[in-house]
Amino acid sequence: VQLQASGGGLVQPGGSLRLSCVASGSILDINTMHWYRQGPGDKRELVATVTRSGSSTYAQSVEGRFTVSRDNAKNTMYLQMNSLKPEDTAAYYCNAAIRTKVTGWDNYWGQGTLVTVSS
């Protein structure tokens, strides 16, 4: 099983980006999915969470600007990021609990996609 995050890049303050996280492999089920980020010199922090049914929660720092969603049929999670600020600059990682036939439930991390907000 792999989680592949993509969609990062360089954007000006106030701009938007959409991140994607695709899970692939012999997947039987995916439970709650998360986006984390880690800025330069910072600890990794939880940004957004989306449940299997689509319920979502956000860090206070991104509430109202970011929207997390998922497409269960495509094993994909998204993060729409609007009104980006320089302090949003970070590597963004996806994380999910995934069940496979061989290993049962396990925790998986994507490789990270870099978001840079700068003029």
Side-chain angles (χ1 to χ4, degrees):
V1 173
Q2 284 190 327
L3 287 178
Q4 182 74 34
S6 63
L10 174 63
V11 63
Q12 292 186 343
S16 298
L17 280 176
R18 189 193 196 204
L19 306 183
S20 299
C21 173
V22 181
S24 60
S26 301
I27 297 169
L28 296 179
D29 195 8
I30 302 177
N31 202 344
T32 303
M33 304 181 78
H34 311 273
W35 285 103
Y36 286 79
R37 69 184 180 187
Q38 186 168 14
D42 294 335
K43 295 180 179 179
R44 190 170 294 190
E45 65 169 343
L46 178 62
V47 174
T49 296
V50 60
T51 66
R52 191 188 285 114
S53 64
S55 297
S56 57
T57 57
Y58 301 91
Q60 189 173 6
S61 59
V62 307
E63 183 84 50
R65 299 187 298 121
F66 290 10
T67 302
V68 62
S69 61
R70 62 191 282 176
D71 184 333
N72 293 330
K74 296 181 179 179
N75 290 336
T76 301
M77 173 177 63
Y78 305 97
L79 186 67
Q80 177 66 43
M81 305 185 295
N82 299 328
S83 303
L84 283 161
K85 304 175 181 180
E87 51 263 43
D88 294 318
T89 294
Y92 284 72
Y93 300 88
C94 52
N95 169 263
I98 299 175
R99 183 165 67 102
T100 68
K101 187 175 182 179
V102 175
T103 62
W105 286 103
D106 207 344
N107 191 46
Y108 293 87
W109 287 91
Q111 86 288 2
T113 184
L114 183 61
V115 172
T116 303
V117 184
S118 175
S119 55

